[in-house]
PDB file of all heavy atoms in Angstrom:
ATOM      1  N   LEU A 274      67.939 105.495  89.066  1.00  0.00           N
ATOM      2  CA  LEU A 274      67.526 104.189  88.561  1.00  0.00           C
ATOM      3  C   LEU A 274      67.502 104.171  87.039  1.00  0.00           C
ATOM      4  O   LEU A 274      67.953 103.205  86.413  1.00  0.00           O
ATOM      5  CB  LEU A 274      66.149 103.818  89.114  1.00  0.00           C
ATOM      6  CG  LEU A 274      65.513 102.548  88.557  1.00  0.00           C
ATOM      7  CD1 LEU A 274      66.388 101.331  88.834  1.00  0.00           C
ATOM      8  CD2 LEU A 274      64.117 102.362  89.121  1.00  0.00           C
ATOM      9  N   GLU A 275      67.008 105.225  86.420  1.00  0.00           N
ATOM     10  CA  GLU A 275      66.929 105.267  84.954  1.00  0.00           C
ATOM     11  C   GLU A 275      68.322 105.178  84.324  1.00  0.00           C
ATOM     12  O   GLU A 275      68.505 104.543  83.291  1.00  0.00           O
ATOM     13  CB  GLU A 275      66.199 106.532  84.483  1.00  0.00           C
ATOM     14  CG  GLU A 275      64.721 106.535  84.829  1.00  0.00           C
ATOM     15  CD  GLU A 275      63.976 105.313  84.295  1.00  0.00           C
ATOM     16  OE1 GLU A 275      64.195 104.938  83.110  1.00  0.00           O
ATOM     17  OE2 GLU A 275      63.193 104.726  85.053  1.00  0.00           O
ATOM     18  N   GLN A 276      69.292 105.811  84.943  1.00  0.00           N
ATOM     19  CA  GLN A 276      70.658 105.724  84.427  1.00  0.00           C
ATOM     20  C   GLN A 276      71.168 104.288  84.516  1.00  0.00           C
ATOM     21  O   GLN A 276      71.821 103.795  83.602  1.00  0.00           O
ATOM     22  CB  GLN A 276      71.597 106.664  85.184  1.00  0.00           C
ATOM     23  CG  GLN A 276      73.007 106.660  84.630  1.00  0.00           C
ATOM     24  CD  GLN A 276      73.934 107.580  85.387  1.00  0.00           C
ATOM     25  OE1 GLN A 276      73.664 108.009  86.496  1.00  0.00           O
ATOM     26  NE2 GLN A 276      75.063 107.884  84.779  1.00  0.00           N
ATOM     27  N   GLY A 277      70.855 103.601  85.600  1.00  0.00           N
ATOM     28  CA  GLY A 277      71.246 102.206  85.737  1.00  0.00           C
ATOM     29  C   GLY A 277      70.614 101.337  84.666  1.00  0.00           C
ATOM     30  O   GLY A 277      71.269 100.459  84.089  1.00  0.00           O
ATOM     31  N   LEU A 278      69.362 101.595  84.351  1.00  0.00           N
ATOM     32  CA  LEU A 278      68.684 100.836  83.301  1.00  0.00           C
ATOM     33  C   LEU A 278      69.280 101.139  81.932  1.00  0.00           C
ATOM     34  O   LEU A 278      69.422 100.240  81.098  1.00  0.00           O
ATOM     35  CB  LEU A 278      67.182 101.130  83.329  1.00  0.00           C
ATOM     36  CG  LEU A 278      66.455 100.667  84.603  1.00  0.00           C
ATOM     37  CD1 LEU A 278      65.021 101.164  84.610  1.00  0.00           C
ATOM     38  CD2 LEU A 278      66.535  99.161  84.775  1.00  0.00           C
ATOM     39  N   ARG A 279      69.673 102.390  81.710  1.00  0.00           N
ATOM     40  CA  ARG A 279      70.343 102.744  80.444  1.00  0.00           C
ATOM     41  C   ARG A 279      71.690 102.028  80.339  1.00  0.00           C
ATOM     42  O   ARG A 279      72.081 101.567  79.264  1.00  0.00           O
ATOM     43  CB  ARG A 279      70.537 104.260  80.331  1.00  0.00           C
ATOM     44  CG  ARG A 279      69.271 105.008  79.957  1.00  0.00           C
ATOM     45  CD  ARG A 279      69.550 106.461  79.579  1.00  0.00           C
ATOM     46  NE  ARG A 279      70.207 107.226  80.626  1.00  0.00           N
ATOM     47  CZ  ARG A 279      69.594 107.862  81.619  1.00  0.00           C
ATOM     48  NH1 ARG A 279      68.287 107.825  81.716  1.00  0.00           N
ATOM     49  NH2 ARG A 279      70.286 108.543  82.507  1.00  0.00           N
ATOM     50  N   ARG A 280      72.410 101.943  81.456  1.00  0.00           N
ATOM     51  CA  ARG A 280      73.694 101.238  81.450  1.00  0.00           C
ATOM     52  C   ARG A 280      73.510  99.762  81.085  1.00  0.00           C
ATOM     53  O   ARG A 280      74.328  99.184  80.384  1.00  0.00           O
ATOM     54  CB  ARG A 280      74.385 101.332  82.807  1.00  0.00           C
ATOM     55  CG  ARG A 280      74.810 102.713  83.188  1.00  0.00           C
ATOM     56  CD  ARG A 280      76.212 102.967  82.738  1.00  0.00           C
ATOM     57  NE  ARG A 280      76.640 104.231  83.320  1.00  0.00           N
ATOM     58  CZ  ARG A 280      77.461 105.052  82.733  1.00  0.00           C
ATOM     59  NH1 ARG A 280      77.976 104.753  81.577  1.00  0.00           N
ATOM     60  NH2 ARG A 280      77.799 106.181  83.307  1.00  0.00           N
ATOM     61  N   LEU A 281      72.431  99.156  81.596  1.00  0.00           N
ATOM     62  CA  LEU A 281      72.146  97.765  81.216  1.00  0.00           C
ATOM     63  C   LEU A 281      72.079  97.631  79.701  1.00  0.00           C
ATOM     64  O   LEU A 281      72.650  96.712  79.121  1.00  0.00           O
ATOM     65  CB  LEU A 281      70.807  97.306  81.796  1.00  0.00           C
ATOM     66  CG  LEU A 281      70.761  96.668  83.153  1.00  0.00           C
ATOM     67  CD1 LEU A 281      69.347  96.226  83.477  1.00  0.00           C
ATOM     68  CD2 LEU A 281      71.717  95.515  83.284  1.00  0.00           C
ATOM     69  N   ASP A 282      71.392  98.562  79.077  1.00  0.00           N
ATOM     70  CA  ASP A 282      71.256  98.545  77.621  1.00  0.00           C
ATOM     71  C   ASP A 282      72.618  98.770  76.949  1.00  0.00           C
ATOM     72  O   ASP A 282      72.965  98.076  75.994  1.00  0.00           O
ATOM     73  CB  ASP A 282      70.255  99.606  77.177  1.00  0.00           C
ATOM     74  CG  ASP A 282      69.917  99.500  75.705  1.00  0.00           C
ATOM     75  OD1 ASP A 282      69.671  98.375  75.224  1.00  0.00           O
ATOM     76  OD2 ASP A 282      69.914 100.548  75.031  1.00  0.00           O
ATOM     77  N   GLU A 283      73.400  99.714  77.465  1.00  0.00           N
ATOM     78  CA  GLU A 283      74.718 100.009  76.894  1.00  0.00           C
ATOM     79  C   GLU A 283      75.635  98.786  76.914  1.00  0.00           C
ATOM     80  O   GLU A 283      76.448  98.602  76.019  1.00  0.00           O
ATOM     81  CB  GLU A 283      75.397 101.150  77.666  1.00  0.00           C
ATOM     82  CG  GLU A 283      74.760 102.501  77.453  1.00  0.00           C
ATOM     83  CD  GLU A 283      75.333 103.563  78.383  1.00  0.00           C
ATOM     84  OE1 GLU A 283      76.411 103.341  78.982  1.00  0.00           O
ATOM     85  OE2 GLU A 283      74.686 104.615  78.521  1.00  0.00           O
ATOM     86  N   PHE A 284      75.496  97.954  77.944  1.00  0.00           N
ATOM     87  CA  PHE A 284      76.342  96.767  78.065  1.00  0.00           C
ATOM     88  C   PHE A 284      75.692  95.518  77.469  1.00  0.00           C
ATOM     89  O   PHE A 284      76.171  94.405  77.677  1.00  0.00           O
ATOM     90  CB  PHE A 284      76.725  96.524  79.527  1.00  0.00           C
ATOM     91  CG  PHE A 284      77.792  97.456  80.014  1.00  0.00           C
ATOM     92  CD1 PHE A 284      77.472  98.572  80.773  1.00  0.00           C
ATOM     93  CD2 PHE A 284      79.121  97.229  79.699  1.00  0.00           C
ATOM     94  CE1 PHE A 284      78.454  99.441  81.211  1.00  0.00           C
ATOM     95  CE2 PHE A 284      80.109  98.090  80.138  1.00  0.00           C
ATOM     96  CZ  PHE A 284      79.775  99.204  80.891  1.00  0.00           C
ATOM     97  N   GLY A 285      74.588  95.719  76.736  1.00  0.00           N
ATOM     98  CA  GLY A 285      73.941  94.598  76.065  1.00  0.00           C
ATOM     99  C   GLY A 285      73.213  93.651  77.002  1.00  0.00           C
ATOM    100  O   GLY A 285      73.050  92.474  76.684  1.00  0.00           O
ATOM    101  N   LEU A 286      72.760  94.159  78.138  1.00  0.00           N
ATOM    102  CA  LEU A 286      72.098  93.320  79.129  1.00  0.00           C
ATOM    103  C   LEU A 286      70.609  93.615  79.287  1.00  0.00           C
ATOM    104  O   LEU A 286      69.966  93.067  80.178  1.00  0.00           O
ATOM    105  CB  LEU A 286      72.786  93.475  80.494  1.00  0.00           C
ATOM    106  CG  LEU A 286      74.232  93.000  80.581  1.00  0.00           C
ATOM    107  CD1 LEU A 286      74.818  93.350  81.934  1.00  0.00           C
ATOM    108  CD2 LEU A 286      74.320  91.514  80.331  1.00  0.00           C
ATOM    109  N   ALA A 287      70.054  94.474  78.441  1.00  0.00           N
ATOM    110  CA  ALA A 287      68.650  94.854  78.585  1.00  0.00           C
ATOM    111  C   ALA A 287      67.728  93.632  78.551  1.00  0.00           C
ATOM    112  O   ALA A 287      66.739  93.570  79.286  1.00  0.00           O
ATOM    113  CB  ALA A 287      68.252  95.855  77.512  1.00  0.00           C
ATOM    114  N   ALA A 288      68.052  92.643  77.742  1.00  0.00           N
ATOM    115  CA  ALA A 288      67.199  91.445  77.618  1.00  0.00           C
ATOM    116  C   ALA A 288      67.254  90.560  78.861  1.00  0.00           C
ATOM    117  O   ALA A 288      66.440  89.644  79.006  1.00  0.00           O
ATOM    118  CB  ALA A 288      67.614  90.642  76.388  1.00  0.00           C
ATOM    119  N   THR A 289      68.187  90.830  79.765  1.00  0.00           N
ATOM    120  CA  THR A 289      68.323  89.991  80.964  1.00  0.00           C
ATOM    121  C   THR A 289      67.585  90.565  82.166  1.00  0.00           C
ATOM    122  O   THR A 289      67.656  89.985  83.254  1.00  0.00           O
ATOM    123  CB  THR A 289      69.811  89.827  81.353  1.00  0.00           C
ATOM    124  OG1 THR A 289      70.332  91.095  81.801  1.00  0.00           O
ATOM    125  CG2 THR A 289      70.630  89.287  80.194  1.00  0.00           C
ATOM    126  N   ILE A 290      66.881  91.671  82.008  1.00  0.00           N
ATOM    127  CA  ILE A 290      66.304  92.398  83.142  1.00  0.00           C
ATOM    128  C   ILE A 290      65.414  91.531  84.028  1.00  0.00           C
ATOM    129  O   ILE A 290      65.365  91.722  85.237  1.00  0.00           O
ATOM    130  CB  ILE A 290      65.574  93.670  82.661  1.00  0.00           C
ATOM    131  CG1 ILE A 290      65.345  94.618  83.831  1.00  0.00           C
ATOM    132  CG2 ILE A 290      64.277  93.322  81.936  1.00  0.00           C
ATOM    133  CD1 ILE A 290      65.013  96.023  83.418  1.00  0.00           C
ATOM    134  N   ASP A 291      64.729  90.548  83.448  1.00  0.00           N
ATOM    135  CA  ASP A 291      63.837  89.688  84.234  1.00  0.00           C
ATOM    136  C   ASP A 291      64.454  88.336  84.563  1.00  0.00           C
ATOM    137  O   ASP A 291      63.781  87.451  85.087  1.00  0.00           O
ATOM    138  CB  ASP A 291      62.515  89.488  83.485  1.00  0.00           C
ATOM    139  CG  ASP A 291      61.707  90.780  83.404  1.00  0.00           C
ATOM    140  OD1 ASP A 291      61.697  91.533  84.399  1.00  0.00           O
ATOM    141  OD2 ASP A 291      61.113  91.041  82.339  1.00  0.00           O
ATOM    142  N   LYS A 292      65.745  88.163  84.273  1.00  0.00           N
ATOM    143  CA  LYS A 292      66.416  86.896  84.554  1.00  0.00           C
ATOM    144  C   LYS A 292      67.071  86.941  85.932  1.00  0.00           C
ATOM    145  O   LYS A 292      67.574  87.984  86.354  1.00  0.00           O
ATOM    146  CB  LYS A 292      67.485  86.602  83.496  1.00  0.00           C
ATOM    147  CG  LYS A 292      66.908  86.320  82.129  1.00  0.00           C
ATOM    148  CD  LYS A 292      68.000  85.924  81.167  1.00  0.00           C
ATOM    149  CE  LYS A 292      67.372  85.618  79.810  1.00  0.00           C
ATOM    150  NZ  LYS A 292      68.364  85.152  78.861  1.00  0.00           N
ATOM    151  N   PRO A 293      67.117  85.805  86.618  1.00  0.00           N
ATOM    152  CA  PRO A 293      67.848  85.762  87.897  1.00  0.00           C
ATOM    153  C   PRO A 293      69.337  86.014  87.664  1.00  0.00           C
ATOM    154  O   PRO A 293      69.911  85.510  86.698  1.00  0.00           O
ATOM    155  CB  PRO A 293      67.613  84.332  88.398  1.00  0.00           C
ATOM    156  CG  PRO A 293      66.433  83.823  87.639  1.00  0.00           C
ATOM    157  CD  PRO A 293      66.448  84.544  86.319  1.00  0.00           C
ATOM    158  N   VAL A 294      69.960  86.782  88.539  1.00  0.00           N
ATOM    159  CA  VAL A 294      71.387  87.063  88.420  1.00  0.00           C
ATOM    160  C   VAL A 294      72.172  85.754  88.392  1.00  0.00           C
ATOM    161  O   VAL A 294      73.119  85.605  87.623  1.00  0.00           O
ATOM    162  CB  VAL A 294      71.869  87.972  89.574  1.00  0.00           C
ATOM    163  CG1 VAL A 294      73.377  88.115  89.560  1.00  0.00           C
ATOM    164  CG2 VAL A 294      71.199  89.338  89.493  1.00  0.00           C
ATOM    165  N   ALA A 295      71.745  84.778  89.195  1.00  0.00           N
ATOM    166  CA  ALA A 295      72.457  83.502  89.270  1.00  0.00           C
ATOM    167  C   ALA A 295      72.471  82.756  87.937  1.00  0.00           C
ATOM    168  O   ALA A 295      73.339  81.923  87.703  1.00  0.00           O
ATOM    169  CB  ALA A 295      71.837  82.622  90.348  1.00  0.00           C
ATOM    170  N   SER A 296      71.526  83.065  87.038  1.00  0.00           N
ATOM    171  CA  SER A 296      71.452  82.349  85.764  1.00  0.00           C
ATOM    172  C   SER A 296      72.371  82.936  84.692  1.00  0.00           C
ATOM    173  O   SER A 296      72.536  82.343  83.636  1.00  0.00           O
ATOM    174  CB  SER A 296      70.011  82.346  85.242  1.00  0.00           C
ATOM    175  OG  SER A 296      69.645  83.636  84.766  1.00  0.00           O
TER     176      SER A 296
END
Side-chain angles (χ1 to χ4, degrees):
L274 174 60
E275 292 304 315
Q276 183 180 17
L278 295 173
R279 283 191 302 274
R280 294 268 189 213
L281 270 183
D282 189 45
E283 290 172 16
F284 284 100
L286 296 174
T289 68
I290 197 163
D291 292 321
K292 292 185 179 183
V294 172
S296 73

